[in-house]
Amino acid sequence: MFLHRPLAVDSTALILLLGALAATAPLAIDMYLPALPAMAEGLNRPINQIQQTLTVFMLGYALCQLIYGPLSDRFGRRPVMLFGMMLFSVASLICTLAVDLEQLLLARTLQALGGGAASVVVTALVRDLYRGEAAARMMSLVVMSMTLAPLLAPLVGGQVLLWFGWRTIFLLLTLLGAVLSLVIWLRLPETRQTTPQRFSLRRMLCDYKQVLGHRQAMGYLLCGSFSTAGMFAFITASPFVYIEYYGVSEALYGLLFGCNIVLMMLLNWVNSRIIMRTGLATMIGRASLFQAIIGMLLLVSVLVLDQLAALFPLLVLFVGCIGLLGANCSAAVVSPFDRTAGSAAAILGTSRFLIGGLTAVAVSLLHDETALPMAMVISLCGVIGYCCFLFIASPTLVDTGPTSPPQ
């Protein structure tokens, strides 16, 4: 019989587990990016239709979090996460067996419905233990550990595609979901501290109204969401832009893509070291302004030069800035809330992937066989993100509250 020994709060193992759980969505997106052209050929569909598998995943991942958040507040973080990972594993297996685009779209939707539990529970779990800058520091460590997986994902996906075909990529995701389900069952502690109230639709709507009515939280939420949406636009368009438009190989694409993750990981580490001194609002304001400037330079470079050598470093800088924005915006959004931390995390996750999904749709609709649609959408996301910080979020430090884990 297995021994159920929960991981200790603040332990390296807990940080790595939360990072692995948070990595399920990036892995489900990034690992099969090099395979999109091969999937289009194998399923006899144009690549812009295969890109719909990205869109349905993002939208499904976004919307399901609206349910997972209140459920985690009511029933606890652990059971909600366990259900989500089991569904993710089963759906990944269905992706492996899909024989046409319609089946693959359905399986990707189910995969998103399972993986959506990760974003909500990880954010709410960190909020259960920390607030303010301390929560941002912890989230940075979690994100830093999780980014190793998406760093390797395109490289692994490219090699798996080369030797075994694209279906094996989804088989690996099946095994990942199964392993994480087992670890959750055996080791993940329950961190919800508040007394749960009866779950009802009215209670859920009241909780969401409370979160949505907090102007400062919404400003940081929109700032972080549009920042991440720019990355989703890059993820959607980069296989075509790099592989087909600029003519790089699938293997080189994985290396170029990995540079974005390396910088993001590095900046997450930097953020974990300086956020306690700098403060959330200051860091978010500076990073979002820099990202907006980079986005505008990216658009100019495509219009004037249209060269991979000019485009690549700007894309790396834009995506890398999320290392200074993602964890900080998450902490700023959920810090004001206690009993409804799961609902706040749900709205945060939903907005990020909903807006990200819409940018993916925009890139597909604007597709004109050039890099211009990607550059236009990315630059717009950067500018809107900074405007949301400047005009909606108050440029003052958010409530930090207690920074030590509950006893």
Side-chain angles (χ1 to χ4, degrees), residues 20 32 49 78 169 173 259 281 321 341 378:
Y32 88 129
Q49 291 187 14
R78 186 172 176 270
I169 295 174
L173 294 174
C259 292
C321 279
I378 289 177

Side-chain angles (χ1 to χ4, degrees), residues 178-200:
V179 170
L180 289 178
S181 298
L182 181 61
V183 176
I184 291 168
W185 178 53
L186 294 176
R187 304 296 301 278
L188 186 69
E190 179 56 64
T191 60
R192 186 197 58 193
Q193 300 295 318
T194 58
T195 302
Q197 301 188 25
R198 183 175 61 88
F199 180 80
S200 67

